[in-house]
Amino acid sequence: MDYSKHISEASKARNPSAIRALMVHANNKEMISLGAGQPNPITFPFASMSVTLKTGEKIEIDSELFNRSLSYDLTAGQPLLNEWLCELQRIEHKPPVKFSLSIGSGSQDLLTKALEMMINEGDSLLVENPTYTGALSFLETLNCDLADIATDEFGIIPEALEKMLANWPESNPNGKKNQPRPHCLYTIPSGGNPTGVSATLERKKAVYKICSKYDILILEDDAYYFLQFTKKRTPSFFSMDVDGRVLRCDSMSKILSSGLRLGWISGPEPLIDRINMHTMVTNLQPSGIPQAMTYGLLEKWGHQGFLNHVTRVADFYAEKRNEFVECLERRMKGRATWSVPNAGMFVWLRLLGGITDSYDLIMTKALKENVLAIPGLAFMPQKNVNNYVRVSYSNVTKENMDEALRRLANVIDKEAAKNGVAIVEA
């Protein structure tokens, strides 16, 4: 593939840091370095690191790895961890083409760098409707337009994607007739945030085929991939990428610890190189201590141990989902509609009772009842008023789930009465 047309002018303008470019040689024991201004580790107060697991097991972090983690290191991440993650990708996704991988300070770090790499000012980006508010907030800073694609309970509707691309620029939702056709699709295919929806394999194949036809890069933001509740996980876009057009973001936040701030991005080497270039001139590298801590655990577990762990995590959230749906059935019938998620942490409620704007309802009236949820406006690419609300079951007891939904139902009932609409609990 010719990636040059997919890379923004800002990304093309970046050159390697003279110091960072030499970092690959820094750990060569035969090398005498008078180059980079590495602080002398003799002055560091830290001697060793051990981690105790909830099982009671204790992991002693290898002394050489620990000492290396205290200093500047490679832009793409600690080599042992980078290779471990590469092997995980080969085991789990079996990508059909060669790929590179870079570790970042959480997948959000890499996601924003990938978006900046691909988008010029005035470009249009294909996004799902609705989509992740964190991505939308960042995209506002890039001065680009969003071409939102309709979704349903099975993910992106391929016919809607094909229609928009085939009829561009007449189909441009922003009305600009001189705007080039988008060349990148941003998608959250598993346990979508905010909808909880997961794209089916059939939908993914159809979307990939369309993207191949129109030479569209796919930015696969898949933080909830390992939180699929089905026995067999739905294959990723990365697993079917015969063209080399998929950039895949993964995260440890949902499966090990959100405070580790550790994610990784996989994809074609020319694109990963540009993301590394961005890291070189901004935050230099992912933090060493979280990488050492993570690798110490993953090395102990092995890949099968890791996969066994994520299965247990998915089972935990599946049980949470079941409890929440039970509470929804009891409290929200006639007040909202929803699809039961098969992955992730969220349910996307469409409020009934004649409610057309969820923002004031949630931000004012629900808050007065001491219940928190996220109004749908935060997830809308075109910022349109709507009657949707995102609710999460991930970190709430069953008792509090039921009480929160009772309070929300009370708010909806009052609003419905004001609208002259009767609540019918079918």
Side-chain angles (χ1 to χ4, degrees), residues 329-347:
E329 292 287 344
R330 179 162 55 251
R331 298 295 186 183
M332 298 300 288
K333 276 189 174 180
R335 299 173 177 89
T337 61
W338 61 87
S339 295
V340 176
N342 61 4
M345 301 177 172
F346 307 112
V347 175

Side-chain angles (χ1 to χ4, degrees), residues 102-240:
S102 188
I103 300 169
S105 301
S107 63
Q108 182 86 2
D109 170 43
L110 298 164
L111 169 64
T112 55
K113 288 172 180 173
L115 288 167
E116 192 270 357
M117 173 191 69
M118 294 185 288
I119 299 171
N120 282 307
E121 184 173 330
D123 277 356
S124 184
L125 174 72
L126 295 164
V127 297
E128 295 162 330
N129 185 2
T131 193
Y132 172 44
T133 184
L136 291 177
S137 295
F138 176 74
L139 288 165
E140 287 180 1
T141 71
L142 295 185
N143 196 21
C144 65
D145 293 315
L146 304 179
D148 50 311
I149 308 297
T151 61
D152 61 16
E153 66 269 31
F154 306 114
I156 290 173
I157 299 172
E159 294 79 8
L161 178 61
E162 170 71 38
K163 183 178 180 181
M164 179 171 288
L165 292 171
N167 296 315
W168 194 274
E170 286 71 22
S171 59
N172 187 347
N174 300 289
K176 297 179 179 178
K177 302 306 181 187
N178 61 344
Q179 190 171 50
R181 190 163 58 197
H183 60 92
C184 177
L185 166 66
Y186 170 63
T187 177
I188 308 170
S190 308
N193 184 357
T195 62
V197 162
S198 295
T200 63
L201 179 58
E202 292 72 24
R203 286 284 181 90
K204 286 182 178 179
K205 287 180 177 178
V207 167
Y208 186 88
K209 186 176 180 180
I210 293 167
C211 288
S212 183
K213 175 181 176 181
Y214 292 98
D215 195 15
I216 308 293
L217 295 183
I218 299 173
L219 182 51
E220 182 176 32
D221 186 7
D222 220 357
Y224 302 94
Y225 172 82
F226 286 112
L227 300 191
Q228 297 183 58
F229 305 146
T230 49
K231 194 164 187 179
K232 187 176 181 182
R233 289 184 282 271
T234 302
S236 61
F237 282 111
F238 189 52
S239 71
M240 61 185 73

Side-chain angles (χ1 to χ4, degrees), residues 48-52 58-61:
S48 64
M49 182 168 71
S50 64
V51 178
T52 303
K58 197 169 185 178
I59 299 174
E60 296 287 345
I61 305 302

Side-chain angles (χ1 to χ4, degrees), residues 320-341 346-349 391 393 401-402 404-406 408-409 425:
K320 284 286 186 186
R321 184 273 315 265
N322 293 342
E323 292 176 349
F324 195 70
V325 169
E326 181 184 327
C327 295
L328 283 170
E329 292 287 344
R330 179 162 55 251
R331 298 295 186 183
M332 298 300 288
K333 276 189 174 180
R335 299 173 177 89
T337 61
W338 61 87
S339 295
V340 176
F346 307 112
V347 175
W348 188 235
L349 300 178
V391 288
Y393 49 81
M401 288 176 189
D402 193 63
L405 290 175
R406 185 195 68 77
L408 183 57
E425 298 185 24

Side-chain angles (χ1 to χ4, degrees), residues 11 31 86 153 182 216 254 274 354 391:
S11 183
M31 186 70 65
C86 284
E153 66 269 31
I216 308 293
K254 315 303 185 288
R274 300 316 305 177
V391 288

